Amino acid sequence: MKSKLTFSKLMLFIIASTNLLLSCGKEKEEVLPEQISKIEFLESEITLKIGQSDTLKVIHYPQNITKPIYKWINSNPDVLIVDEVGIIKALKVGKAEVTANLIDRGLKSKIIVNVLPVLPEKLTLEVSDKNLFIGDSIRVKFSINPPNTTDIADFKIDWSSSDEKILTVSEGMVKGVAEGKAKVIGKIRGTNISHEIEMNIKPILPTSIEFNLESGQVEVGQFLEILFKVNPENTTHKDLIWTSSNNSIATVENGMIMGIKEGEVVITAKAKSNSISKSIKVKVVPAKVIVIELSETQRKLMVGESFKIIANVVPVEAKNKSITWTSSNNSVAIVDQNGNVTAKAMGSVEIIATSNDNPKIVNVCYIDVVDLDHNINTYISSSSMVIINNNYTGSANFVLANYGHKTATVNRFEVLDGFGNILTSSNDRVDVTNNRQRIYSITFRNNYKPVVNFYFEIDGKKFQRTITMK
């Protein structure tokens, strides 16, 4: 019994020791943590616009492990920046490669980031006042949206007008041309983005009218001009309507007044565009002579001749048209009050016409009184002569021509030599009328310095003409 008990105890000890050893062996075994085996970006390539930010998303496997800390490598810091947690910000147009590194595991993943410019999306035009007067100018302001548009200052605006007859626009400066409405159009160059605003171009209406006269006077048939000014100077409506209170006394056109008959009128100028007006009183008085016109202002008369000077006064509306006639020398010529002039003696004289209405107005006819033989001409018409020591041999024609209207009667023709001896003569009476002539043909035979005499009379007055051979 004792041996069986001892064996049983021994077996229990062995079993207990074995369990103890087994238990100790389990406590000493090392348990390793689960490791990241792969990392990757959600996308292989992304796009940002300048100024935008984004967080790079990296997936690790297995995903039940806590997100690790990555080291970021940026291939182009000029294009974008990346911080320690993977937030990137686009700086300029371009491309960059960003690498996420898990250094302790030797893992990495790459992503391409494309940075694009921020393009304009909207154009807005603004003007301080959409009402603009003709001739005035105003600048149109513009803004491009979004405000962060890349190189926003480099964008140019193309300007145009929907109607250049109403307004013009250049480099954003609008100028009113004519009354009406038109649109100012702005377009971002190189795009289809535009905006327009409608402008109302208004006229500059007159505010007052000025005359150079407070009152006026004009003669019948004469003109009086009113110089006028429409204010302001830049008014676009300068047209005036002119009226006379009595057109039978005076008429007016564009400030020019004409006297019709004696009396008094009111001349008014009124703006076409509004009620602004200006008036002036004008008195129409009888017309005064301002000019005397003569039918002749220069004449030659022979002693005893007469003629009449016709005188007309200007204006024809002059009330007193009478004229006083005088001669500056009655011994040379006289004039009656009808303008009839008679030549008395040789000389020069002035026949003066003076207005009785206005004695300062005169006109003169200048008269030369000549003798009756003034229009008689004597000359040698042809000659074939040999001259030796002043002795003449040959033939010649001697002419008496009458260019006047009175008949000249030749009483005697004679030829003498240089010693006074008569070589030949003729006492035949010959009448030489207007535009006629008398020719004498003479032959010389070695005659010394011949002399030719014509004796003639006009209206009973005797004359002599001599031709000396040279």
Side-chain angles (χ1 to χ4, degrees), residues 123-127 129-132 138-142 157-164 166-176 181-187 194-201:
L123 174 66
T124 302
L125 304 182
E126 293 180 317
V127 66
D129 191 348
K130 292 183 180 180
N131 294 306
L132 185 66
I138 192 170
R139 182 168 292 283
V140 178
K141 296 180 181 179
F142 69 91
I157 305 299
D158 291 326
W159 299 95
S160 61
S161 167
S162 64
D163 189 344
E164 292 195 343
I166 303 296
L167 64 84
T168 59
V169 57
S170 175
E171 300 297 327
M173 187 63 73
V174 179
K175 183 175 182 179
K181 291 184 179 182
K183 293 178 181 179
V184 176
I185 304 166
K187 181 181 178 183
S194 64
H195 189 219
E196 59 187 35
I197 53 175
E198 187 176 68
M199 300 288 295
N200 181 29
I201 308 303

Coordinates of all heavy atoms in Angstrom, one line a residue, residues 123-127 129-132 138-142 157-164 166-176 181-187 194-201:
L123 N -16.7 90.2 -66.2 CA -16.2 91.6 -66.4 C -17.4 92.5 -65.9 O -18.5 92.3 -66.3 CB -15.9 91.9 -67.8 CG -15.5 93.4 -68.2 CD1 -14.2 93.8 -67.5 CD2 -15.4 93.6 -69.7
T124 N -17.1 93.5 -65.1 CA -18.1 94.5 -64.7 C -17.6 95.9 -65.0 O -16.5 96.3 -64.7 CB -18.3 94.3 -63.1 OG1 -18.7 93.0 -62.8 CG2 -19.4 95.3 -62.7
L125 N -18.5 96.6 -65.7 CA -18.3 98.0 -66.0 C -19.1 98.9 -65.0 O -20.2 98.6 -64.7 CB -18.7 98.3 -67.4 CG -18.1 97.5 -68.5 CD1 -18.5 98.0 -69.9 CD2 -16.5 97.5 -68.5
E126 N -18.4 100.0 -64.6 CA -19.1 100.9 -63.7 C -18.8 102.4 -64.2 O -17.7 102.7 -64.7 CB -18.6 100.8 -62.3 CG -19.0 99.4 -61.7 CD -18.5 99.3 -60.2 OE1 -17.3 99.7 -60.0 OE2 -19.3 98.9 -59.4
V127 N -19.8 103.2 -64.0 CA -19.6 104.7 -64.3 C -20.3 105.5 -63.3 O -21.4 105.0 -62.7 CB -20.1 105.0 -65.7 CG1 -21.6 104.8 -65.8 CG2 -19.7 106.4 -66.2
D129 N -21.9 108.3 -63.4 CA -23.2 108.8 -63.8 C -23.4 108.4 -65.3 O -22.6 108.6 -66.2 CB -23.1 110.4 -63.8 CG -24.5 111.0 -63.9 OD1 -25.4 110.3 -64.3 OD2 -24.6 112.2 -63.7
K130 N -24.6 107.8 -65.5 CA -24.9 107.3 -66.8 C -25.5 108.4 -67.7 O -25.8 108.1 -68.9 CB -25.9 106.1 -66.7 CG -25.3 104.9 -66.1 CD -26.3 103.7 -66.1 CE -25.6 102.5 -65.5 NZ -26.5 101.3 -65.4
N131 N -25.7 109.6 -67.1 CA -26.2 110.7 -67.9 C -25.0 111.6 -68.3 O -24.2 112.0 -67.4 CB -27.2 111.5 -67.1 CG -28.5 110.8 -66.9 OD1 -29.1 110.3 -67.9 ND2 -28.9 110.6 -65.7
L132 N -24.8 111.9 -69.5 CA -23.6 112.6 -70.0 C -24.0 113.7 -71.0 O -24.8 113.4 -71.9 CB -22.6 111.6 -70.6 CG -21.3 112.2 -71.1 CD1 -20.4 112.7 -69.9 CD2 -20.5 111.2 -71.9
I138 N -16.4 111.1 -69.7 CA -16.4 110.4 -68.4 C -15.6 109.1 -68.6 O -15.7 108.4 -69.7 CB -17.8 110.2 -67.9 CG1 -17.8 109.7 -66.4 CG2 -18.5 109.1 -68.7 CD1 -19.1 109.7 -65.8
R139 N -14.9 108.6 -67.5 CA -14.2 107.4 -67.6 C -15.0 106.2 -67.0 O -15.6 106.4 -66.0 CB -12.8 107.5 -66.9 CG -12.0 106.2 -67.0 CD -10.6 106.4 -66.5 NE -9.8 107.3 -67.3 CZ -9.3 106.9 -68.5 NH1 -9.5 105.7 -68.9 NH2 -8.6 107.8 -69.2
V140 N -15.0 105.1 -67.8 CA -15.6 103.9 -67.3 C -14.6 103.1 -66.5 O -13.5 102.8 -67.0 CB -16.2 103.1 -68.5 CG1 -16.9 101.8 -68.0 CG2 -17.2 104.0 -69.3
K141 N -15.0 102.7 -65.3 CA -14.1 101.8 -64.5 C -14.6 100.4 -64.8 O -15.8 100.1 -65.0 CB -14.3 102.1 -63.0 CG -13.8 103.5 -62.7 CD -13.9 103.8 -61.2 CE -13.4 105.2 -60.8 NZ -13.6 105.5 -59.4
F142 N -13.6 99.5 -64.6 CA -13.9 98.1 -64.9 C -13.3 97.2 -63.8 O -12.2 97.6 -63.2 CB -13.5 97.6 -66.3 CG -12.1 97.5 -66.5 CD1 -11.3 96.4 -66.3 CD2 -11.4 98.6 -66.9 CE1 -10.0 96.3 -66.5 CE2 -10.0 98.6 -67.2 CZ -9.3 97.4 -66.9
I157 N -8.8 95.5 -72.1 CA -10.2 95.6 -72.4 C -10.3 96.2 -73.8 O -9.7 97.2 -74.1 CB -10.9 96.4 -71.4 CG1 -10.7 95.8 -70.0 CG2 -12.4 96.4 -71.7 CD1 -11.2 94.4 -69.8
D158 N -11.1 95.6 -74.7 CA -11.4 96.2 -76.0 C -12.7 96.9 -75.8 O -13.8 96.3 -75.4 CB -11.5 95.1 -77.0 CG -10.2 94.4 -77.4 OD1 -9.2 95.2 -77.3 OD2 -10.2 93.2 -77.6
W159 N -12.7 98.2 -76.2 CA -13.9 99.1 -76.0 C -14.6 99.3 -77.3 O -13.9 99.5 -78.3 CB -13.5 100.4 -75.3 CG -12.8 100.3 -74.0 CD1 -11.5 100.2 -73.7 CD2 -13.5 100.2 -72.7 NE1 -11.3 100.1 -72.4 CE2 -12.5 100.0 -71.8 CE3 -14.8 100.2 -72.4 CZ2 -12.8 99.9 -70.4 CZ3 -15.1 100.1 -71.0 CH2 -14.1 99.9 -70.0
S160 N -15.9 99.4 -77.2 CA -16.6 99.8 -78.5 C -17.9 100.5 -78.0 O -18.4 100.4 -76.9 CB -16.9 98.6 -79.3 OG -17.7 97.6 -78.6
S161 N -18.5 101.2 -79.0 CA -19.8 101.8 -78.8 C -20.9 101.2 -79.7 O -20.6 100.8 -80.9 CB -19.7 103.3 -79.2 OG -21.0 104.0 -79.3
S162 N -22.1 101.1 -79.2 CA -23.2 100.5 -80.0 C -23.6 101.5 -81.1 O -24.2 101.1 -82.1 CB -24.3 100.1 -79.1 OG -24.9 101.3 -78.5
D163 N -23.3 102.8 -80.9 CA -23.7 103.8 -81.9 C -22.7 105.0 -81.7 O -22.9 105.8 -80.9 CB -25.1 104.3 -81.7 CG -25.6 105.1 -82.8 OD1 -24.8 105.6 -83.6 OD2 -26.8 105.3 -83.0
E164 N -21.7 105.0 -82.6 CA -20.7 106.1 -82.5 C -21.3 107.5 -82.9 O -20.6 108.5 -82.7 CB -19.5 105.8 -83.4 CG -18.7 104.6 -82.8 CD -17.3 104.4 -83.4 OE1 -17.1 105.1 -84.5 OE2 -16.5 103.7 -82.9
I166 N -23.8 108.6 -81.4 CA -24.3 109.1 -80.1 C -23.1 109.2 -79.2 O -23.0 110.3 -78.5 CB -25.3 108.1 -79.5 CG1 -26.5 107.8 -80.5 CG2 -25.8 108.5 -78.2 CD1 -27.3 109.1 -80.8
L167 N -22.2 108.3 -79.1 CA -21.1 108.4 -78.2 C -19.9 107.6 -78.8 O -20.1 106.7 -79.5 CB -21.4 107.9 -76.8 CG -21.8 106.4 -76.6 CD1 -20.6 105.5 -76.5 CD2 -22.7 106.2 -75.3
T168 N -18.7 108.0 -78.4 CA -17.5 107.3 -78.7 C -16.8 106.9 -77.4 O -17.0 107.5 -76.4 CB -16.6 108.2 -79.6 OG1 -16.2 109.3 -78.8 CG2 -17.2 108.6 -80.9
V169 N -16.0 105.8 -77.5 CA -15.3 105.4 -76.4 C -13.9 104.9 -76.8 O -13.7 104.3 -77.8 CB -16.0 104.2 -75.7 CG1 -16.2 103.0 -76.6 CG2 -15.2 103.7 -74.5
S170 N -12.9 105.4 -76.1 CA -11.5 105.1 -76.4 C -10.7 104.9 -75.0 O -10.7 105.8 -74.2 CB -10.8 106.2 -77.2 OG -9.4 105.9 -77.4
E171 N -10.1 103.7 -74.9 CA -9.4 103.4 -73.6 C -10.3 103.6 -72.4 O -9.8 104.1 -71.4 CB -8.1 104.2 -73.6 CG -7.1 103.9 -74.7 CD -6.7 102.5 -74.8 OE1 -6.5 101.9 -73.7 OE2 -6.5 102.0 -75.9
G172 N -11.5 103.4 -72.5 CA -12.4 103.5 -71.4 C -12.9 104.9 -71.2 O -13.7 105.2 -70.2
M173 N -12.5 105.9 -72.0 CA -13.0 107.3 -71.9 C -14.2 107.5 -72.9 O -14.0 107.3 -74.1 CB -11.9 108.2 -72.2 CG -12.3 109.7 -72.0 SD -12.7 110.0 -70.2 CE -11.0 110.0 -69.5
V174 N -15.3 107.8 -72.3 CA -16.6 107.9 -73.1 C -16.8 109.4 -73.4 O -16.7 110.2 -72.5 CB -17.8 107.3 -72.4 CG1 -19.0 107.5 -73.2 CG2 -17.6 105.9 -72.1
K175 N -17.1 109.8 -74.6 CA -17.4 111.2 -75.0 C -18.8 111.2 -75.7 O -19.1 110.5 -76.6 CB -16.4 111.7 -75.9 CG -16.6 113.2 -76.2 CD -15.5 113.8 -77.1 CE -15.7 115.3 -77.3 NZ -14.6 115.9 -78.1
G176 N -19.7 112.1 -75.2 CA -21.0 112.3 -75.8 C -20.8 113.1 -77.1 O -20.2 114.1 -77.2
K181 N -29.4 107.6 -76.8 CA -28.9 106.5 -75.9 C -28.1 105.6 -76.7 O -28.4 105.2 -77.8 CB -30.1 105.8 -75.2 CG -30.8 106.6 -74.2 CD -31.9 105.8 -73.5 CE -32.6 106.7 -72.4 NZ -33.6 105.9 -71.7
A182 N -27.0 105.1 -76.1 CA -26.1 104.1 -76.7 C -25.4 103.3 -75.6 O -25.3 103.8 -74.5 CB -25.1 104.8 -77.7
K183 N -24.9 102.2 -76.0 CA -24.2 101.3 -75.0 C -22.7 101.4 -75.2 O -22.2 101.4 -76.3 CB -24.7 99.9 -75.2 CG -26.1 99.6 -74.9 CD -26.5 98.2 -75.1 CE -28.0 98.0 -74.8 NZ -28.4 96.6 -75.0
V184 N -22.0 101.4 -74.0 CA -20.6 101.2 -73.9 C -20.3 99.8 -73.7 O -20.8 99.2 -72.8 CB -20.0 102.1 -72.8 CG1 -18.5 101.8 -72.7 CG2 -20.3 103.6 -73.1
I185 N -19.5 99.2 -74.6 CA -19.3 97.7 -74.5 C -17.8 97.5 -74.2 O -16.9 98.1 -74.9 CB -19.7 97.0 -75.8 CG1 -21.1 97.3 -76.2 CG2 -19.4 95.5 -75.8 CD1 -21.5 97.0 -77.6
G186 N -17.6 96.7 -73.2 CA -16.2 96.3 -72.9 C -16.1 94.8 -73.0 O -16.9 94.0 -72.6
K187 N -15.0 94.3 -73.5 CA -14.7 92.9 -73.7 C -13.3 92.6 -73.3 O -12.4 93.2 -73.8 CB -15.0 92.5 -75.1 CG -14.8 91.0 -75.4 CD -15.1 90.6 -76.9 CE -14.8 89.2 -77.1 NZ -15.0 88.8 -78.6
S194 N -17.7 89.7 -71.7 CA -18.0 91.1 -71.9 C -19.0 91.7 -71.0 O -19.7 90.9 -70.3 CB -18.4 91.3 -73.4 OG -19.6 90.7 -73.6
H195 N -19.2 93.0 -71.0 CA -20.2 93.6 -70.2 C -20.5 94.9 -70.9 O -19.7 95.5 -71.7 CB -19.7 93.9 -68.8 CG -20.8 94.4 -67.9 ND1 -20.6 95.3 -66.9 CD2 -22.2 94.0 -67.8 CE1 -21.8 95.5 -66.3 NE2 -22.7 94.7 -66.8
E196 N -21.7 95.4 -70.7 CA -22.1 96.7 -71.4 C -23.0 97.5 -70.4 O -23.7 96.9 -69.6 CB -22.9 96.5 -72.7 CG -24.1 95.6 -72.5 CD -24.7 95.3 -73.9 OE1 -24.0 95.0 -74.8 OE2 -26.0 95.2 -73.9
I197 N -22.9 98.8 -70.6 CA -23.8 99.7 -69.8 C -24.4 100.7 -70.8 O -23.7 101.2 -71.8 CB -23.0 100.5 -68.7 CG1 -21.8 101.2 -69.2 CG2 -22.7 99.5 -67.6 CD1 -21.1 102.0 -68.2
E198 N -25.6 101.1 -70.6 CA -26.3 102.1 -71.5 C -26.1 103.5 -70.9 O -26.3 103.8 -69.7 CB -27.7 101.8 -71.6 CG -28.5 102.6 -72.6 CD -29.9 102.2 -72.8 OE1 -30.7 102.4 -71.9 OE2 -30.2 101.7 -73.9
M199 N -25.7 104.4 -71.8 CA -25.5 105.8 -71.4 C -26.6 106.7 -72.1 O -27.0 106.4 -73.2 CB -24.1 106.3 -71.9 CG -22.9 105.5 -71.3 SD -22.7 105.9 -69.6 CE -22.2 107.6 -69.6
N200 N -26.9 107.7 -71.4 CA -27.9 108.7 -71.9 C -27.2 110.0 -72.2 O -26.7 110.7 -71.3 CB -29.0 108.9 -70.9 CG -30.1 109.9 -71.3 OD1 -30.3 110.0 -72.5 ND2 -30.7 110.6 -70.4
I201 N -27.1 110.3 -73.5 CA -26.4 111.5 -73.9 C -27.4 112.7 -74.0 O -28.3 112.6 -74.7 CB -25.6 111.4 -75.2 CG1 -24.7 110.1 -75.1 CG2 -24.8 112.6 -75.5 CD1 -23.7 110.1 -74.0

